[in-house]
Amino acid sequence: MNHAIQRRIADLEQYRPALTAEPDLDAFWSETLAAAKDKPLNGTRLLAKTPLDGMEAYKVEYEGFDSTRIHGWFVLPKNRPADAKLPCVVLYHGYTGSKGYPEDFAQYAMMGIAAFAVDIRGQGGDTGNLLAQRHGMTRGWLTQNILDKEECYYKAISLDALKALEWAAAQPEVDAGRICAMGGSQGGGLALLAAAVSEVPSIAVAHIPNMCHMDFGILNSTSSLTEAAEFLNRFPDKLDEVLRTLSYFDMMNLAHRIRIPLLVSVGLKDPVTMPETIFAAYNRIESDKRIEVYPFQGHAVGGDQNRKALEFIRMRFNF
């Protein structure tokens, strides 16, 4: 049977729009990672109370891009061998969200693995934002310093996310060779970026990821990129500068750098992380990859996506 759903998916599987990468993309990331490498985390972890007897929870703080203290929850199964080295899932939340509560990650403790969930700076969690503002913004956070790739909000949250992986890998309970970068929407975009530019994660899960094909998204999506569209409506002469900045963090341009196993999900009715944007990046990934397509789903991460992510993690980490 050749129905409209199959044709839609077949078209998306062939979708490869022109890249928007600047000539210095690789140099930018090489210099950025080199500069961040020696920046200390100055991390702390403090045991916290939780009503669930089967897990330990720690309140964590560390420094990412700048001196902003990034807050997170580090969760461990309580009944584990004293010398156990556990797989760890590092979790990034969606736009305007937060790290949540330790109990939100009990499923990982039940599986016998660690989880580290972090705030994205300035959004809905405990974490502030000390990034200096160089230009006027529109609503939200995305347009902070959007005219400067070196000081923009996307660079700050990207390095915060990479430093979260570094913190997790340094914990004595964690097997640094079995770390998964995982998130949904904004968090899915950060998981993809981590897979592309960091050597820490060995697998990644990106549900309905943002930060893909952003020139298309800024024109068509109802995502956080509407903030950039509003900025450009106010400053129409800045179009080239804005698109240039976004291109350094666009997973369509960075997808070819991914070399680890990857699970992605997409909803065909999603007006936020539109299918075109996700496939534009996914189709350029050359690693061992799988995409789960939900024809009747909008911008959401459902139970089936979570179940398949847990199965993927268990299979890839061999436990």
Side-chain angles (χ1 to χ4, degrees), residues 87 113 178 203 310-319:
I113 65 178
R178 291 189 293 170
I203 63 173
L310 295 177
E311 290 173 350
F312 174 78
I313 292 167
R314 183 179 294 278
M315 178 184 68
R316 292 295 179 173
F317 285 162
N318 298 315
F319 72 96

Side-chain angles (χ1 to χ4, degrees), residues 230-248:
E230 184 177 330
F231 181 92
L232 288 169
N233 192 43
R234 193 170 300 179
F235 303 104
D237 60 313
K238 305 297 186 183
L239 175 61
D240 289 344
E241 291 174 74
V242 167
L243 293 180
R244 186 177 302 114
T245 296
L246 294 178
S247 73
Y248 290 91

Side-chain angles (χ1 to χ4, degrees), residues 36-205:
K37 182 178 181 180
D38 296 327
K39 184 183 182 303
L41 290 163
N42 295 321
T44 61
R45 58 183 265 189
L46 181 66
L47 187 65
K49 292 182 179 179
T50 173
L52 300 183
D53 292 335
M55 61 186 240
E56 291 177 11
Y58 295 86
K59 183 68 182 293
V60 174
E61 295 183 22
Y62 69 95
E63 293 178 6
F65 175 69
D66 51 21
S67 57
T68 300
R69 301 290 292 173
I70 310 298
H71 293 245
W73 290 116
F74 183 52
V75 172
L76 294 164
K78 184 173 288 186
N79 298 319
R80 63 186 188 278
D83 59 349
K85 289 284 190 178
L86 306 177
C88 183
V89 179
V90 177
L91 297 134
Y92 311 116
H93 62 75
Y95 195 61
T96 76
S98 75
K99 66 187 178 302
Y101 296 93
E103 296 74 29
D104 296 333
F105 312 107
Q107 60 186 336
Y108 300 106
M110 290 175 64
M111 290 175 66
I113 65 178
F116 183 39
V118 297
D119 280 340
I120 307 302
R121 64 169 62 215
Q123 296 184 24
D126 297 318
T127 302
N129 181 17
L130 299 180
L131 184 64
Q133 185 175 326
R134 312 293 186 191
H135 190 279
M137 297 166 55
T138 55
R139 59 184 171 82
W141 301 274
L142 187 148
T143 60
Q144 187 177 18
N145 299 335
I146 199 168
L147 303 179
D148 181 1
K149 68 180 185 295
E150 299 293 348
E151 296 291 333
C152 69
Y153 185 75
Y154 265 128
K155 182 176 180 180
I157 67 172
S158 295
L159 288 180
D160 292 345
L162 299 181
K163 285 292 186 178
L165 293 163
E166 183 180 324
W167 186 92
Q171 301 315 297
E173 303 90 348
V174 171
D175 179 353
R178 291 189 293 170
I179 291 178
C180 173
M182 181 173 178
S185 193
Q186 168 187 253
L190 291 171
L192 286 179
L193 185 136
V197 304
S198 173
E199 296 181 354
V200 176
S202 55
I203 63 173
V205 176

Side-chain angles (χ1 to χ4, degrees), residues 284-300:
R284 293 183 179 273
I285 295 170
E286 300 175 358
S287 69
D288 181 0
K289 63 182 181 179
R290 187 173 99 234
I291 191 165
E292 295 289 340
V293 180
Y294 294 85
F296 306 106
Q297 180 174 292
H299 193 66

Side-chain angles (χ1 to χ4, degrees), residues 12-19 188-189 192-193 196 206 209-216 249-258 262 264 274-287 289 291:
L12 288 166
E13 289 174 342
Q14 300 302 315
Y15 186 59
R16 292 173 66 93
L19 297 178
L192 286 179
L193 185 136
N210 208 340
M211 298 170 61
C212 301
H213 197 3
M214 289 198 277
D215 58 329
F216 184 93
F249 308 94
D250 191 328
M251 284 311 307
M252 181 177 71
N253 297 329
L254 293 168
H256 68 283
R257 297 173 59 124
I258 296 177
L262 179 71
V264 178
M274 305 173 72
E276 288 84 356
T277 65
I278 294 172
F279 273 94
Y282 181 81
N283 290 340
R284 293 183 179 273
I285 295 170
E286 300 175 358
S287 69
K289 63 182 181 179
I291 191 165

